[in-house]
Amino acid sequence: MQKCSRNPYRNAALLAGVLAAVVALVLVSVLVVAAAGMASPLGPGTRESNATRVTSPGAAPVVSLGAVWHGCAAVPVSYSYDQGLTDLEVAAVEGSLARATEGLRVLTGRQFHLQRVQAVSNAAPGTIHVSWSGDDALFAGDEVGFTVLYFVEAQITRAEVTISLGLLDRYEVGNVDDRGESVTAVVLHELGHAVGLGHSFESDSVMHAHHGTDTHVTSTDKLGFEQAGNAGC
């Protein structure tokens, strides 16, 4: 089994408080970080925050991170990947991302516009950006992807997803409706974090922290994605 995402904490005080209240309950959610004073698409003088609310794990098997994309406009999803990939690798990267993004559209009811850019620095404000990287140093242990959210109060302003190119050697591309480990399942998992979902307690859920041979989009996954799509619109 492969671990799909980590806790990208950058604030020691936040880490201590959340670990006591959340990790003790066996929740390993992706939490939100941001640099103070970083530009925000909400306008001048508005700062992105590194504080978050985590919904009680007793509420549902898929836990909300307490932040959503507001409004009904389409969310841009940009992507970039390391130079030097073969044509087959590019096809796998773009194919899995296209399938996962379409699955996200169906599951959330929201629109997402997918386009390639040269690097994360070229991503527009208010974007979910997916970086495909062959740098193993970015990933802890057996993890194959992680997501960092940026937000103001409960409004997500952008998300940065990083996925290991090593996935292409381990898994088939697969489809959203498949059962089992696949590149597309990992991408959908990280996009789930990018729209405000935490981890699931169901071992076969696509939003569970580890994927296995029975991983699929469960009924509670569907409910979580639907709620994430409806929450801000």
Side-chain angles (χ1 to χ4, degrees):
M1 296 191 296
Q2 299 297 330
K3 185 177 179 182
C4 296
S5 58
R6 65 178 171 185
N7 293 12
Y9 292 104
R10 299 292 186 272
N11 182 302
L14 175 64
L15 174 59
V18 174
L19 283 178
V22 179
V23 175
L25 296 172
V26 201
L27 171 63
V28 189
S29 293
V30 174
L31 294 182
V32 183
V33 298
M38 190 169 292
S40 168
L42 297 185
T46 304
R47 291 190 175 189
E48 292 168 324
S49 171
N50 63 354
T52 187
R53 300 191 312 273
V54 181
T55 301
S56 167
V62 179
V63 177
S64 167
L65 296 179
V68 297
W69 291 88
H70 279 255
C72 300
V75 178
V77 180
S78 60
Y79 66 96
S80 58
Y81 48 79
D82 290 351
Q83 298 299 310
L85 299 189
T86 67
D87 289 345
L88 286 177
E89 288 172 329
V90 170
V93 163
E94 295 185 337
S96 61
L97 185 54
R99 294 174 190 184
T101 303
E102 173 61 14
L104 187 67
R105 182 194 67 79
V106 172
L107 290 165
T108 62
R110 294 193 66 127
Q111 297 297 316
F112 299 88
H113 290 167
L114 184 63
Q115 66 174 17
R116 183 190 171 194
V117 297
Q118 289 300 113
V120 64
S121 58
N122 302 118
T127 297
I128 297 172
H129 182 77
V130 182
S131 299
W132 294 77
S133 177
D135 184 358
D136 292 339
L138 294 175
F139 305 94
D142 63 350
E143 80 177 357
V144 291
F146 60 91
T147 296
V148 178
L149 291 178
Y150 297 82
F151 64 102
V152 174
E153 295 180 348
Q155 178 172 346
I156 300 172
T157 57
R158 59 192 171 102
E160 295 176 3
V161 175
T162 305
I163 296 177
S164 171
L165 284 168
L167 274 178
L168 305 183
D169 298 324
R170 304 177 193 177
Y171 300 152
E172 297 295 327
V173 171
N175 294 294
V176 169
D177 294 333
D178 290 347
R179 185 180 290 265
E181 298 165 310
S182 72
V183 179
T184 298
V186 173
V187 179
L188 180 62
H189 175 103
E190 297 304 335
L191 291 177
H193 289 321
V195 296
L197 294 182
H199 283 143
S200 172
F201 297 115
E202 295 181 327
S203 61
D204 57 350
S205 163
V206 76
M207 290 308 300
H208 192 269
H210 291 77
H211 284 186
T213 56
D214 200 36
T215 295
H216 64 287
V217 179
T218 66
S219 58
T220 47
D221 284 327
K222 292 177 180 178
L223 178 60
F225 278 106
E226 181 180 358
Q227 290 175 339
N230 291 338
C233 185

